[in-house]
Amino acid sequence: MTGNNAQASPKTPLLGMTLDQLRRVAKELGMPAFTGAQMAKWLYDGHVTDILQMSNISKANRAKLDEQYCVGAMPPTDCQRSVDGTVKYLFPTDNGRFVETVYIPDGDRATLCVSCQVGCKMNCLFCQTGKQGFEGNLSVRDILNQIYALPERASLTNVVFMGQGEPMDNLDAVLQTTQILTAPYGYAWSPRRITVSSVGVKNKLKRFLDESECHVAISLHAPNHELRASIMPAEKGMPIADVIELLRGYDFAHQRRLSFEYIVFGGLNDSMAHARQLLKMLRGLDCRVNLIRFHQIPGVDLRGASEEKMLEWRDFLTSHGLFTTIRASRGEDIFAACGLLSTAKSKENAT
């Protein structure tokens, strides 16, 4: 089988391979070295779904390649469309599970929020994905497929690794994916079109900062250790103070951007004392803060802050030199920021 039936095929997928890996495939099959570059061109520029579509590779070599390999693209199995144009897709994975991908059009920009794991180990109190538990890392193919097989792929301007999972917990796959997205043989994107988030896995974050030029977003959500630990268990073993100390050793004053994500919870982390603690914590860092509205998820006793409080925080932080924005809520009617669709699909498959 080939093309869209690749999920059930024993053949090895080419999608997700780097140029060096594709060259090795060509060499192992006795093909000219340049065949690897031809495959890369067909995959990442041509977006073929079948090896037999690679028309400038000889018919004999296509047949030989098709015996052992497939493209490996897997279309979404479900989608939910919001009244504001946001679309949440459900993609199958190598291990027979499902992950969510959210397409967010906004004027002349279109952002895709991709996942890197099935479930998540971090178990943040406010996150539906954390309630799933951890079910496995996505392969490079799984991550890249969310872009490759996206119906709106041609309109994308940005990709954010802010979907299901902790990117630093699947770092090798994330780095290889961003390599393909930015390499001349791949999508040839600027790294500035890609943002990778993290709760702050310090050692792996350092490696990411050293090996990638993509933007970085830190999931902060509290301005002190005690409060953060109460809603983000990762804080107990990976204190945000250590993460910020690491970040101070890197240059974010030029093209690469550092941002902090802060969900504002009513009565929990939204006092002006908290705002002043946040100013102190981030003083001297060239960064921005994105304030995020919280939308209720099942079984979680947290509530979002008022609109007045959001505006008060934005104005206060900005007036004190910390560039702050309020992230626009998108796809509220389809729970675009949650893991509800994949959770429902997992429960359906378990029955």
Side-chain angles (χ1 to χ4, degrees), residues 19-319:
L19 179 57
D20 285 345
Q21 291 170 329
L22 291 169
R23 284 173 172 159
R24 284 198 292 273
V25 168
K27 182 178 179 180
E28 288 166 3
L29 294 177
M31 300 177 184
F34 63 78
T35 308
Q38 290 176 315
M39 286 189 276
K41 180 76 172 175
W42 282 112
L43 286 170
Y44 304 127
D45 188 31
H47 286 89
V48 295
T49 57
D50 194 311
I51 285 171
L52 300 182
Q53 295 171 330
M54 300 180 178
S55 57
N56 64 346
I57 297 175
S58 74
K59 188 174 181 180
N61 280 341
R62 272 181 280 162
K64 189 185 300 185
L65 190 60
D66 190 49
E67 287 177 6
Q68 298 184 39
Y69 293 89
C70 61
V71 169
M74 300 183 289
T77 60
D78 197 1
C79 74
Q80 294 178 340
R81 298 182 182 275
S82 169
V83 293
D84 65 16
T86 300
V87 187
K88 179 194 284 189
Y89 288 102
L90 194 68
F91 280 97
T93 69
D94 283 341
N95 61 7
R97 297 197 169 58
F98 298 88
V99 291
E100 296 173 18
T101 305
V102 181
Y103 172 75
I104 309 167
D106 186 14
D108 59 356
R109 290 169 59 90
T111 300
L112 189 70
C113 182
V114 300
S115 297
C116 63
Q117 293 182 312
V118 181
C120 184
K121 296 177 183 177
M122 300 304 151
N123 197 26
C124 299
L125 178 62
F126 46 84
C127 178
Q128 179 66 31
T129 301
K131 306 294 179 283
Q132 293 180 5
F134 177 69
E135 298 185 52
N137 285 327
L138 297 189
S139 65
V140 179
R141 171 209 187 187
D142 286 331
I143 301 173
L144 197 60
N145 183 66
Q146 296 168 67
I147 301 167
Y148 196 96
L150 182 78
E152 299 88 354
R153 182 193 66 249
S155 67
L156 286 182
T157 59
N158 300 84
V159 168
V160 295
F161 285 72
M162 295 182 182
Q164 294 172 269
E166 163 57 51
M168 299 303 131
D169 206 27
N170 190 15
L171 184 55
D172 287 339
V174 168
L175 283 172
Q176 185 164 318
T177 303
T178 58
Q179 177 192 331
I180 292 168
L181 290 174
T182 57
Y185 70 80
Y187 283 67
W189 282 18
S190 164
R192 315 309 177 204
R193 295 173 65 177
I194 304 167
T195 301
V196 179
S197 70
S198 177
V199 301
V201 184
K202 184 180 176 183
N203 291 338
K204 293 184 178 180
L205 179 60
K206 183 182 189 308
R207 183 182 159 206
F208 177 80
L209 291 167
D210 291 339
E211 296 183 21
S212 170
E213 297 180 2
C214 298
H215 295 318
V216 181
I218 302 298
S219 298
L220 184 57
H221 311 309
N224 60 66
H225 172 74
E226 292 75 19
L227 180 55
R228 193 167 189 261
S230 72
I231 58 174
M232 300 176 69
E235 170 69 16
K236 297 169 186 175
M238 298 177 286
I240 192 64
D242 293 348
V243 175
I244 290 175
E245 180 184 2
L246 169 69
L247 293 168
R248 292 190 188 280
Y250 291 83
D251 180 11
F252 297 102
H254 296 92
Q255 290 187 320
R256 189 181 210 179
R257 187 172 67 236
L258 170 64
S259 58
F260 289 88
E261 310 293 305
Y262 195 102
I263 299 175
V264 190
F265 301 105
L268 179 70
N269 66 351
D270 65 339
S271 72
M272 295 315 294
H274 291 131
R276 287 188 287 272
Q277 288 176 16
L278 185 61
L279 280 174
K280 182 178 180 181
M281 173 182 282
L282 302 183
R283 185 170 295 136
L285 269 178
D286 200 301
C287 65
R288 64 178 61 190
V289 170
N290 295 320
L291 301 179
I292 302 170
R293 298 174 178 87
F294 176 68
H295 301 290
Q296 200 73 35
I297 62 174
V300 174
D301 189 22
L302 293 171
R303 60 183 175 85
S306 67
E307 188 65 18
E308 293 75 18
K309 181 62 71 173
M310 299 283 290
L311 293 170
E312 181 184 20
W313 263 61
R314 182 199 62 188
D315 295 345
F316 174 79
L317 295 174
T318 299
S319 68

